[in-house]
Amino acid sequence: MENILLHTCCGICGFSATQNLEKSFNIKYYWYNPNIHLVSEYKKRLDSAKTKFTFIIDTYDWKKWFLRIKNIAYNNIERCKECYIMRLTKTAEKAKELKINNFSSTLLISPYQKHDLLKNIGEDLQKRFNVKFHYFDERKNFYKYRNQYREFGLYMQKYCGCVFSKPR
Ligand code: SF4
């Protein structure tokens, strides 16, 4: 089975996305989510996800993330685009560095994300880094494992991650 570096945005997307993915790949889990606001929320999501997966954990570059989006913060499409580019670029770079031939992201399973944008970004990065982007669309399965999330006590967050997506 081939290896894949899977950018994991949270425990519940990780759980849902891997149910089928693990039939085809040997998965290495990668945590790079500098978008998450606040530090306490970041820790909560990571600690929850770590109960199910063993991660390669990258830096919590929250300042870098904020500087990248600060001029487009209130444009949802542009902000999410930069957020995806930042996280997926790091994943592709890391896959290249570790000599893992495939990369992908659990963001693809979420019906709340901008799916086509993610797909386009992944495909561009595939060309740029010469690492295969594994595209999948299992948004229909997002709610299928709800009972298991509860059974395993996985944290179900209330917002995407950044301060701009946080309910006030
Ligand atoms: S809404 Fe989600 S994907 Fe969009 S910028 Fe915020 S954290 Fe990133």
Side-chain angles (χ1 to χ4, degrees):
M1 233 187 246
E2 283 199 55
N3 289 337
I4 188 167
L5 190 67
L6 183 65
H7 166 258
T8 306
C9 59
C10 65
I12 58 173
C13 288
F15 185 87
S16 304
T18 53
Q19 299 308 304
N20 275 333
L21 214 52
E22 66 189 4
K23 294 175 190 158
S24 315
F25 290 101
N26 178 23
I27 304 173
K28 312 278 181 210
Y29 296 91
Y30 180 59
W31 184 270
Y32 181 65
N33 297 301
N35 54 311
I36 301 173
H37 176 86
L38 307 147
V39 180
S40 53
E41 178 73 16
Y42 177 89
K43 275 181 64 53
K44 210 167 176 179
R45 294 188 192 192
L46 177 56
D47 287 348
S48 171
K50 274 161 69 179
T51 62
K52 285 304 291 172
F53 310 110
T54 302
F55 286 106
I56 298 164
I57 300 175
D58 219 315
T59 44
Y60 182 30
D61 283 338
W62 64 270
K63 273 190 196 156
K64 207 167 161 184
W65 183 89
F66 191 76
L67 287 174
R68 186 159 179 154
I69 62 88
K70 74 176 173 35
N71 294 331
I72 48 169
Y74 294 99
N75 178 330
N76 286 354
I77 305 276
E78 290 302 315
R79 188 188 70 238
C80 294
K81 183 178 173 190
E82 283 307 309
C83 181
Y84 296 152
I85 291 174
M86 189 172 175
R87 289 189 279 169
L88 292 190
T89 301
K90 269 285 220 188
T91 311
E93 270 174 358
K94 182 58 83 175
K96 186 99 186 165
E97 177 194 325
L98 298 175
K99 299 189 180 8
I100 296 174
N101 292 334
N102 304 278
F103 77 102
S104 193
S105 173
T106 59
L107 289 163
L108 285 167
I109 204 164
S110 171
Y112 299 106
Q113 300 298 333
K114 297 170 179 64
H115 190 89
D116 293 341
L117 196 49
L118 280 165
K119 180 174 187 276
N120 292 341
I121 291 166
E123 288 171 353
D124 283 349
L125 291 169
Q126 169 173 294
K127 288 184 211 136
R128 187 168 147 206
F129 288 96
N130 198 23
V131 180
K132 193 168 179 328
F133 173 63
H134 178 72
Y135 169 71
F136 60 92
D137 182 3
E138 291 186 34
R139 285 173 285 177
K140 64 180 185 314
N141 288 336
F142 184 73
Y143 292 107
K144 189 172 162 187
Y145 305 104
R146 203 180 253 175
N147 290 340
Q148 281 100 318
Y149 305 156
R150 296 207 172 94
E151 186 187 330
F152 294 119
L154 289 172
Y155 172 54
M156 288 185 266
Q157 64 269 11
K158 303 281 184 295
Y159 59 103
C160 185
C162 66
V163 65
F164 308 101
S165 63
K166 194 171 183 301
R168 283 147 211 256

